Amino acid sequence: RVDHVVAIDIAHVRPEEPREVHRAHEGHHLLVVLGEVGVFLWDVRGGERVEISPEFASSAEFDQTGRLAVIAGSTGVWVWDLRGTRDPVQLTDEVFPLAEFSRDGTRVVGSGYTATDGIGGEGPGVVVWSVVSGAPPVTITTTPMVAAGFDPDGTRVLTAGTSGASLWRADGAAPPQALTADPVLAASFDASGS
């Protein structure tokens, strides 16, 4: 049952098209990535918009609680407390075009590349950071990848790029399981981890 619908015409808010729009699991907030303009948090109940990051952003995502957001872009990878109770935490100043939370929200994986041919190139590879423990980051691979994501239990990372797709332990403690050597531009786990 839908009580009401609020439409936000984001095309007239800024001259740039949204790169990504994500809904928080509680359903009341949207994260909108406007690339060169930054990242905004919208409260869909009242239409309030708050600028989260004024820097260029290529991706943003909520954690499962909707209280934290990870933002990747030109100034690195940041974790923002959307309640405003603590300052943003910069995980790295390296450029990572994509970053996402593990399901439990305790870690972030970033995949980095610089598109030189439209599908890949140079970059920092894939790194896992702890959001809560302050443990040193784990470099999964230094090979540039266009995508990386955690499995549902957070123990494995799936990577995809021009060098293929592989399955890695999230702690980096074992060699990867190569799934294919053919170029793969997107990959993800389903809800069961397959």
Side-chain angles (χ1 to χ4, degrees):
R1 179 173 173 261
V2 177
D3 293 323
H4 68 282
V5 175
V6 175
I8 300 171
D9 185 358
I10 55 179
H12 291 95
V13 174
R14 296 284 187 159
E16 186 167 334
E17 293 285 323
R19 296 175 78 103
E20 294 183 7
V21 177
H22 296 279
R23 181 182 57 85
H25 295 282
E26 37 83 335
H28 301 298
H29 293 92
L30 298 175
L31 267 179
V32 181
V33 179
L34 293 174
E36 298 284 333
V37 178
V39 178
F40 295 85
L41 177 70
W42 261 277
D43 182 335
V44 298
R45 295 170 294 187
E48 179 184 0
R49 180 192 76 187
V50 177
E51 184 176 57
I52 301 297
S53 170
E55 305 294 330
F56 172 81
S58 52
S59 75
E61 179 185 89
F62 287 107
D63 72 345
Q64 291 286 326
T65 67
R67 294 189 308 251
L68 299 176
V70 61
I71 299 172
S74 63
T75 61
V77 178
W78 294 78
V79 174
W80 290 75
D81 180 344
L82 301 176
R83 298 166 299 177
T85 58
R86 63 178 193 207
D87 291 335
V89 175
Q90 186 176 31
L91 300 176
T92 183
D93 61 1
E94 284 189 271
V95 176
F96 280 82
L98 299 170
E100 69 177 54
F101 282 103
S102 57
R103 183 175 281 180
D104 66 4
T106 62
R107 289 175 294 159
V108 167
V109 62
S111 57
Y113 65 93
T114 303
T116 56
D117 58 5
I119 58 171
E122 299 177 3
V126 177
V127 176
V128 174
W129 297 274
S130 172
V131 175
V132 294
S133 76
V138 175
T139 299
I140 299 296
T141 180
T142 57
T143 301
M145 294 290 166
V146 297
F150 289 103
D151 69 347
D153 69 7
T155 60
R156 300 177 298 165
V157 172
L158 177 63
T159 61
T162 57
S163 60
S166 296
L167 196 55
W168 306 76
R169 282 186 40 173
D171 61 9
Q177 174 189 354
L179 304 175
T180 181
D182 295 327
V184 178
L185 301 182
S188 64
F189 288 100
D190 64 17
S192 72
S194 301

